[in-house]
Amino acid sequence: MPVDGVVTEGESAVDESMLTGEPIPVTKRVGDKVIGATINTSGSLVIRSEKVGAQTMLAQIVQMVALAQRSRAPMQRLADVVAGYFVVIVVGIALLTLLGWGLFGPAPSWVFGFVNGVAVLIIACPCALGLATQMSIMAATGRAATQGMLFRDAAAIEGMRKVDTLIVDKTGTLTEGKPAYDRVVAASGFTVKQVLQIAASIDQGSEHPLAQAIVAEARRRGVALDKPDSFESSSGIGVRGVVAGRHIALGNTVLMNEEKVDWRSLSGDAEQLREEGASVMYLAADRILVGLIAVSDPLKANTLEAIQTLREEGINVVMATGDGVTTAKSVAAKLCITEVYGEVKPQDKLALVERFQQQGKVVAMAGDGINDAPALARADVGIAMGTGTDVAINSAHLTLIKGDLRTIARARKLSFDTVRNMHQNLGFAFIYNALGIPLAAGLLYPFTGHLLSPMIAALAMSLSSVSVISNALRLRGTK
């Protein structure tokens, strides 16, 4: 769709997943509104433009992303702040050393003062201090990449360990993001294989995602399909045609009523499947009910394990999805998620993130679609699926290359390890300088009779940097 508008002529199924996350196309008829950048999957529409340019929904989403990114406070680098003061202090100590030795030291006093002052500047060169955080971040970033995680910046690595609330999208994040065959319920006198064979045969002529899921399952099972003699798609209600000399109808109850098919014998099964989040289609042959087929967006194989792990770590997991409330609650129940928000728009997800932040929570948002982008950008840590849209990935701070939610727990562990490593490096750098500066200034000269050569100071400074780098590289072994 080029712009936001309203349908004036025609009927079609429109893929609105970029806005709602729902993978199943929505039927649009005269009077229905359409959103720019959504995809017309079948049929033709004449629309009257209502919003163009910066007024469209897509432009508003982009604007929300930009505002959220600008509102995020820049991270204050402890090492940078300390290093700024440290340099001034060291220069002051070097001058005091020069003056102290020059005025009160033994002859040649100013030579001793100059040499010791230079030794102080060399041994206190803040290389180790400057490397303390950056080397840890570099090592952690490299390690994360080998584990399927791409951090956009150091703030994400440091902030991941503080997350206590995770908001997750459903479609494409918790689920596979595309319809898949669920099950068949055969009517009396028919078998599951017969139902699948007839349904897949008539659906061969359809481009609808639900139809493609049914055909794919039949071919996976090696079911022989018949070529339809005729085919008619009725947007929003189903398909009709002739297969092997029989009149076939596959669709919802509206289509069954038009075909004068009694579907009530399987209505109980259909309602139960809908409560589980599946899309249900009735199948009739020559106006006799053959059975029903359920297609759903299945959970990823590792989703339950990932949610359980995060919950054990004390993270509150919240689901926010553009899908219907019934479907959302069904998926949440399977994953033991108690806080669920359904039928939410992009701005609603953004508001939800801000609400938790106002309550003092550190919020991570995980999603994969354009509709998740504003919330991903506004969250303390935005987590995008590598299998998702470019807009979501560009808005996030962390990208899970394979879309595996278990990686979030690994990212938190790496965050803890990285910050601990940074503290070790900073501690080592401070201890080194606390011991090295007095030695270089010659404070031990009255007791030992020896001064620290600037060459030895340079060697010690280099060894301190090597020690910090070696400690940081231990992160490469983090599991």
Side-chain angles (χ1 to χ4, degrees):
M1 301 295 170
V3 294
D4 295 3
V6 62
V7 178
T8 59
E9 293 181 27
E11 183 176 318
S12 182
V14 177
D15 180 355
E16 294 186 334
S17 59
M18 81 94 183
L19 183 68
T20 65
E22 173 58 56
I24 299 174
V26 179
T27 300
K28 297 292 183 181
R29 300 184 177 89
V30 175
D32 290 340
K33 292 184 178 297
V34 294
I35 305 298
T38 55
I39 301 172
N40 183 27
T41 61
S42 61
S44 60
L45 298 171
V46 175
I47 65 172
R48 183 179 68 251
S49 172
E50 292 189 330
K51 295 179 181 179
V52 298
Q55 296 178 329
T56 63
M57 178 65 73
L58 180 62
Q60 290 176 20
I61 292 175
V62 172
Q63 184 179 13
M64 282 190 288
V65 172
L67 288 173
Q69 288 177 331
R70 285 199 296 268
S71 66
R72 192 169 57 253
M75 185 180 67
Q76 297 299 316
R77 292 280 182 203
L78 175 61
D80 292 344
V81 174
V82 172
Y85 291 107
F86 179 77
V87 170
V88 176
I89 293 171
V90 167
V91 171
I93 293 174
L95 289 174
L96 289 175
T97 301
L98 172 64
L99 294 175
W101 277 92
L103 297 174
F104 306 107
S109 60
W110 289 104
V111 173
F112 283 139
F114 178 76
V115 171
N116 290 339
V118 171
V120 168
L121 291 175
I122 292 174
I123 202 167
C125 180
C127 290
L129 194 60
L131 290 171
T133 57
Q134 297 305 320
M135 282 305 303
S136 296
I137 294 298
M138 287 179 62
T141 302
R143 181 57 181 167
T146 65
Q147 294 183 329
M149 301 173 277
L150 295 178
F151 284 99
R152 193 174 72 180
D153 51 36
I157 298 179
E158 294 184 16
M160 193 67 199
R161 78 191 200 284
K162 299 178 183 178
V163 170
D164 54 25
T165 302
L166 174 65
I167 301 174
V168 291
D169 177 43
K170 180 186 80 70
T171 307
T173 304
L174 298 174
T175 67
E176 295 289 351
K178 56 183 180 181
Y181 169 86
D182 190 328
R183 73 194 77 169
V184 162
V185 177
S188 178
F190 296 92
T191 66
V192 169
K193 183 177 180 180
Q194 286 177 316
V195 176
L196 184 60
Q197 193 271 339
I198 296 172
S201 294
I202 189 65
D203 267 340
Q204 289 180 95
S206 175
E207 296 180 353
H208 197 285
L210 299 183
Q212 292 174 356
I214 294 171
V215 174
E217 177 63 19
R219 288 174 175 163
R220 188 187 69 82
R221 296 190 182 192
V223 176
L225 303 182
D226 296 321
K227 184 178 180 180
D229 297 319
S230 65
F231 175 83
E232 176 190 350
S233 175
S234 301
S235 294
I237 62 175
V239 297
R240 289 177 268 218
V242 176
V243 176
R246 293 188 295 178
H247 180 72
I248 307 299
L250 175 65
N252 59 21
T253 54
V254 175
L255 179 63
M256 293 298 107
N257 290 334
E258 288 184 2
E259 293 290 322
K260 296 181 173 51
V261 176
D262 185 4
W263 49 269
R264 286 168 293 185
S265 61
L266 295 179
S267 60
D269 297 284
E271 185 59 30
Q272 181 179 351
L273 289 168
R274 289 193 189 97
E275 290 177 357
E276 295 176 4
S279 297
V280 178
M281 292 157 284
Y282 291 94
L283 176 66
D286 292 332
R287 294 185 170 79
I288 297 175
L289 185 65
V290 175
L292 59 81
I293 297 181
V295 174
S296 63
D297 185 10
L299 290 171
K300 293 179 180 177
N302 49 48
T303 295
L304 180 59
E305 178 188 347
I307 297 299
Q308 289 175 339
T309 301
L310 293 170
R311 192 179 294 112
E312 289 170 359
E313 293 185 1
I315 294 179
N316 177 35
V317 181
V318 179
M319 182 195 294
T321 175
D323 287 4
V325 176
T326 301
T327 302
K329 288 183 176 179
S330 170
V331 173
K334 295 176 183 177
L335 299 172
C336 300
I337 297 175
T338 56
E339 193 168 354
V340 186
Y341 300 88
E343 298 180 357
V344 294
K345 297 185 172 91
Q347 57 267 34
D348 298 327
K349 293 184 180 181
L350 177 61
L352 185 62
V353 169
E354 292 175 338
R355 194 184 83 193
F356 278 113
Q357 289 175 331
Q358 290 168 0
Q359 295 173 0
K361 306 293 185 182
V362 180
V363 183
M365 169 72 195
D368 74 323
I370 295 175
N371 59 319
D372 300 315
L376 289 172
R378 185 67 183 88
D380 296 288
V381 180
I383 305 172
M385 304 298 109
T387 53
T389 62
D390 290 342
V391 174
I393 293 172
N394 291 333
S395 302
H397 313 102
L398 167 62
T399 300
L400 309 183
I401 297 174
K402 296 181 180 179
D404 186 347
L405 288 178
R406 293 176 300 180
T407 312
I408 296 177
R410 291 197 287 270
R412 291 190 80 242
K413 182 180 184 303
L414 181 62
S415 175
F416 279 109
D417 292 342
T418 302
V419 173
R420 182 169 59 249
N421 189 271
M422 289 166 60
H423 289 164
Q424 292 169 352
N425 287 344
L426 288 170
F428 177 81
F430 282 121
I431 291 172
Y432 160 79
N433 284 294
L435 296 176
I437 291 176
L439 184 62
L443 292 184
L444 298 181
Y445 179 77
F447 308 101
T448 64
H450 296 289
L451 294 175
L452 187 66
S453 167
M455 291 185 292
I456 301 299
L459 178 62
M461 183 270 293
S462 299
L463 290 175
S464 70
S465 298
V466 170
S467 300
V468 167
I469 293 171
S470 299
N471 186 54
L473 291 178
R474 292 191 304 111
L475 288 172
R476 296 171 64 184
T478 301
K479 295 182 179 179

